[in-house]
Amino acid sequence: MPTKKKSQVTAAEPAAAEPAAAEPTAGAAARDRRGELLDTAAEVFAEQGYNATTVRKIADHAGMLAGSLYYHFDSKESMLEEILRTFLDELWDGYDTVLAAGLGPRETLEALVTESFREIDRHRAAVAIYQKESRQLLAQERFAFLAESQRRFEKAWLSTLEEGVAGRVFRADLDVRLTYRFVRDTVWVAASWYRPGGQHSPQEIARQYLSMVLDGIAVRT
């Protein structure tokens, strides 16, 4: 008899768990809605500026009441933090993969540039916000992670350029800090004009860009 009871309890366990199967679907829908709202907020922040954007403006663009937006987020600061963290986390996932690949300095530079344009394609609005607002946001403690990301970014690019100069892959007279600033600014400013789904893919833009940076635009004689 004890053995039979144990068997019955075991057999009943899968059936008891069945009602929970619907929960992931509801959770996925909530996450999708949250993502849609963050995308909308990013576009509004990028277009109108962070200070000029209110929760009501974001809600209007999302086609909902401001009170309903507070159901998902407690403030516009929370929305902006999540937008920027999502962008930077994905950026560093890509960068860290490149930096750990053991490539030569030229190949590393090419891969970093290509990954940057991919991120502009995925997170154009977030990149635009980062470009326009980061200096102001750094004064707020909750956005201190931006400064750490900037330090990591600078270290990754400078070390790649320095390795290239030391290995005679790049010119010996190269000012690595000036080159870093040039590459950084000319890559990320693309967020101001790039639109996903345009004539050129991120990879093609990166290829053309690298051709100009590494080989110049003058005809070789």
Side-chain angles (χ1 to χ4, degrees):
M1 289 298 291
T3 304
K4 185 176 181 180
K5 287 183 178 180
K6 183 177 180 181
S7 175
Q8 288 172 342
V9 171
T10 304
E13 287 175 354
E18 285 181 6
E23 293 179 3
T25 301
R31 287 192 298 273
D32 289 346
R33 181 55 174 159
R34 185 182 180 87
E36 291 170 0
L37 293 173
L38 286 172
D39 289 343
T40 298
E43 292 294 339
V44 179
F45 285 139
E47 181 181 343
Q48 300 188 14
Y50 175 66
N51 287 334
T53 298
T54 63
V55 171
R56 181 177 296 277
K57 284 184 179 180
I58 297 170
D60 288 344
H61 279 76
M64 64 194 303
L65 297 174
S68 299
L69 190 60
Y70 280 116
Y71 174 79
H72 299 275
F73 305 96
D74 61 10
S75 65
K76 73 172 189 176
E77 289 82 5
S78 294
M79 299 184 78
L80 181 61
E81 181 180 358
E82 188 164 341
I83 289 166
L84 292 176
R85 282 189 182 276
T86 298
F87 154 58
L88 290 174
D89 286 348
E90 188 169 315
L91 174 71
W92 281 106
D93 281 346
Y95 272 20
D96 287 342
T97 298
V98 170
L99 296 171
L103 303 173
R106 176 170 178 140
E107 291 76 19
T108 297
L109 181 65
E110 291 172 342
L112 290 174
V113 167
T114 301
E115 189 60 36
S116 298
F117 278 107
R118 287 197 184 108
E119 287 307 308
I120 292 173
D121 180 64
R122 296 172 185 140
H123 299 288
R124 185 202 62 80
V127 174
I129 296 166
Y130 185 89
Q131 292 286 95
K132 296 176 184 176
E133 311 284 356
S134 59
R135 184 173 297 181
Q136 170 193 327
L137 293 173
L138 284 171
Q140 301 181 41
E141 185 177 350
R142 76 183 301 164
F143 293 103
F145 65 91
L146 297 176
E148 175 60 24
S149 183
Q150 288 175 358
R151 286 191 289 270
R152 290 179 65 193
F153 189 90
E154 181 174 313
K155 180 180 179 180
W157 287 83
L158 285 177
S159 61
T160 300
L161 291 168
E162 289 166 352
E163 183 183 347
V165 172
R168 298 185 179 181
V169 176
F170 303 140
R171 295 197 329 253
D173 64 340
L174 194 70
D175 185 321
V176 292
R177 187 161 292 275
L178 182 61
T179 303
Y180 154 69
R181 289 172 177 166
F182 169 76
V183 173
R184 176 197 64 191
D185 293 348
T186 50
V187 166
W188 294 109
V189 76
S192 65
W193 54 261
Y194 178 81
R195 293 295 179 273
Q199 182 179 358
H200 301 294
S201 69
Q203 292 82 356
E204 174 60 19
I205 295 173
R207 189 187 68 78
Q208 292 280 353
Y209 177 87
L210 285 163
S211 176
M212 289 185 283
V213 169
L214 295 172
D215 300 323
I217 63 173
V219 175
R220 294 184 177 183
T221 59

